[in-house]
Amino acid sequence: MADAQKILIADDAKDIREVLRIMLEDAGFEVVLANNGQEAVDYFDESINLVILDIMMPKCNGIDACAKIRENAEVPVLFLTAKSAESDMIEGFEAGGDDYLTKPFSCTELLLRVRALLKRPHMGSGGKETDSKIVIQDIILDTDLQQVIRDGEEISLTEIEYRILLLLASNRNHIFTAKEIYEQVWEEVYMPNSTNTVMVHIRNIRKKLGDVGPNAKYLHNIWGRGYRIV
């Protein structure tokens, strides 16, 4: 398994850890197991290709573990949780999570999401340079540095948030449905709960851009159709 991609799993439930280990090893992945969030942080190194974190864990929960891992790496993170509240989704995505599965989930769906996350190029992983900038009023998207700048200061976005903003900014006036955004940004099959996932990320982008309230400045919601930047 020298060339196998390595996945770090952190869940305080032993039965879930074992099910995921067996499934992922059968699919050809190398697996590292952690009993809690602190172990996930301790076990993480540059050889890890993807992290699966349960949110509710002792010592260090999945949200905090993700934030600590994100300080030094852009590795994709998939959250597992028994919670389905929108506030929990927002907290997970703001910590740097890329995707979210609510328990109970099917092993087939989890495997599909794992493969999609591993297939997608990530910031800082050697993507091609474009030496171009996209200007939206007083905001600059530097696609070379993969940064969003306003008044000389960087606006901190997660990778998913940046990719959504880049998609819309690169196609000004085009209205993207939630399905189109999900399939182009996540690069995986659209599922019934994917619309909520897109909505949460859009809300986070607006909050970070200060684009809240009825008079949107940058990102516009076209009722019943989708989203666009004019």
Side-chain angles (χ1 to χ4, degrees), residues 134-158:
I134 300 173
V135 179
I136 310 168
Q137 300 181 52
D138 57 344
I139 290 179
I140 298 173
L141 274 74
D142 189 322
T143 58
D144 181 11
L145 299 176
Q146 296 182 317
Q147 292 180 334
V148 179
I149 308 294
R150 181 171 54 201
D151 298 329
E153 295 186 0
E154 181 181 0
I155 298 173
S156 180
L157 301 181
T158 67

Side-chain angles (χ1 to χ4, degrees), residues 10 12 27 75 118 135 141 159 179 189 200 210-212:
D12 59 327
V75 62
L118 289 169
V135 179
L141 274 74
E159 180 188 348
K179 181 176 185 292
V189 177
V200 169
D211 198 24
V212 296

Side-chain angles (χ1 to χ4, degrees), residues 39-141:
E39 285 190 2
V41 175
D42 293 341
Y43 294 168
F44 181 82
D45 60 34
E46 62 182 10
S47 71
I48 301 295
N49 301 107
L50 182 141
V51 180
I52 299 176
L53 295 171
D54 181 35
I55 287 185
M56 299 299 293
M57 292 187 289
K59 296 185 179 180
C60 175
N61 63 39
I63 299 293
D64 292 339
C66 178
K68 290 179 181 179
I69 290 171
R70 274 280 183 257
E71 290 176 0
N72 301 306
E74 288 292 342
V75 62
V77 175
L78 172 64
F79 280 119
L80 304 179
T81 179
K83 296 183 176 182
S84 59
E86 186 175 278
S87 60
D88 297 309
M89 293 174 62
I90 293 172
E91 189 177 10
F93 290 137
E94 286 183 339
D98 295 280
D99 210 345
Y100 190 103
L101 267 180
T102 302
K103 300 175 182 178
F105 52 83
S106 74
C107 290
T108 299
E109 182 178 2
L110 184 136
L111 190 57
L112 285 172
R113 291 182 184 237
V114 164
R115 285 173 169 160
L117 286 170
L118 289 169
K119 181 177 67 175
R120 192 175 71 228
H122 280 254
M123 293 194 297
S125 61
K128 68 177 182 179
E129 299 182 358
T130 60
D131 292 322
S132 63
K133 293 179 173 62
I134 300 173
V135 179
I136 310 168
Q137 300 181 52
D138 57 344
I139 290 179
I140 298 173
L141 274 74

